[in-house]
Amino acid sequence: MSSAFPEIYLVRHGETEWSLSGRHTGRSDIPLTANGEEAARKLADRLAGPTFSAVWSSPSARARKTCTLAGFGSGAVIKDDLAEWDYGAYEGITTKAILADRPGWQLFRDGCPNGEFAADVGARADAVIHALRETGGTILIFSSSHFLRVLAARWLGLPPEDGSRFVLDTASISVLGYEHDLTEPVIRRWNQR
């Protein structure tokens, strides 16, 4: 279903050992697995069709590699605000392990010691949204799960904490857009694999 309005294509990076095991991967540069690389290559066919006025990527190696393997690396612009959530003291740790030390902890509600809170990630998402709306056109973005979830929440005008209500699989494609006019932001497609 195409739209007369600009669309924002969101691509979560391919699988890494840490995404596979559920370890929080914020600023660590963990390479794609062989499966992650294959899924990234398959994105090329899945993204054929739309004409993108710009391609933006997170600075992470996993997002940049996914972008390159999908065939968009040569034109990609690195945007620091697209970086994944900074997990601080929880970098490389699973939710299960965190809950063993901190029962009831929830990332989107409680944030991370020595890292970011939802409001911090939301401020970066707001800056990206402002740039998207200024740029106009259909734009392709490569980034990571928790950041993209916050971006989707903020796109809809929801608090950044509501990013918890969306899930994203590796190498998934989602599309943000508009319904009747540019004052009605919507999610047009979500977590397509």
Side-chain angles (χ1 to χ4, degrees):
M1 182 175 172
S2 64
S3 172
F5 301 109
E7 293 182 320
I8 311 306
Y9 281 68
L10 308 177
V11 178
R12 183 182 175 196
H13 63 77
E15 175 190 272
T16 68
E17 289 294 337
W18 282 18
S19 68
L20 187 59
S21 64
R23 294 169 69 179
H24 290 285
T25 317
R27 305 305 163 89
S28 298
D29 262 332
I30 307 302
L32 300 179
T33 63
N35 287 339
E37 289 185 2
E38 181 60 25
R41 284 185 198 92
K42 289 180 180 177
L43 286 166
D45 287 338
R46 295 172 53 211
L47 291 167
T51 300
F52 299 106
S53 60
V55 178
W56 296 352
S57 177
S58 158
S60 76
R62 61 192 178 275
R64 289 183 288 117
K65 180 75 168 189
T66 301
C67 178
T68 297
L69 291 173
F72 296 94
S74 64
V77 175
I78 305 303
K79 299 278 190 179
D80 290 340
D81 281 337
L82 293 173
E84 177 60 303
W85 197 304
D86 182 348
Y87 299 115
Y90 294 157
E91 182 76 8
I93 301 174
T94 65
T95 297
K96 182 178 180 180
I98 296 167
L99 289 171
D101 289 334
R102 191 172 168 191
W105 175 80
Q106 293 178 8
L107 173 66
F108 287 87
R109 183 190 66 209
D110 302 322
C112 300
N114 303 316
E116 288 183 304
F117 291 85
D120 302 318
V121 181
R124 290 193 288 113
D126 288 347
V128 169
I129 291 168
H130 178 76
L132 289 168
R133 292 189 171 139
E134 288 290 313
T135 302
T138 297
I139 298 175
L140 175 60
I141 292 176
F142 292 84
S143 188
S144 298
S145 177
H146 288 136
F147 176 79
L148 291 174
R149 292 166 65 178
V150 171
L151 180 67
R154 296 301 301 137
W155 180 262
L156 297 175
L158 300 171
E161 294 81 4
D162 281 355
S164 67
R165 301 181 188 281
F166 303 98
V167 297
L168 277 178
D169 296 316
T170 55
S172 62
I173 300 172
S174 301
V175 182
L176 307 178
Y178 300 92
E179 188 168 16
H180 299 106
D181 59 43
L182 296 177
T183 67
E184 294 184 37
V186 297
I187 294 177
R188 299 192 61 83
R189 292 182 285 291
W190 191 257
N191 199 37
Q192 295 184 321
R193 299 190 62 213

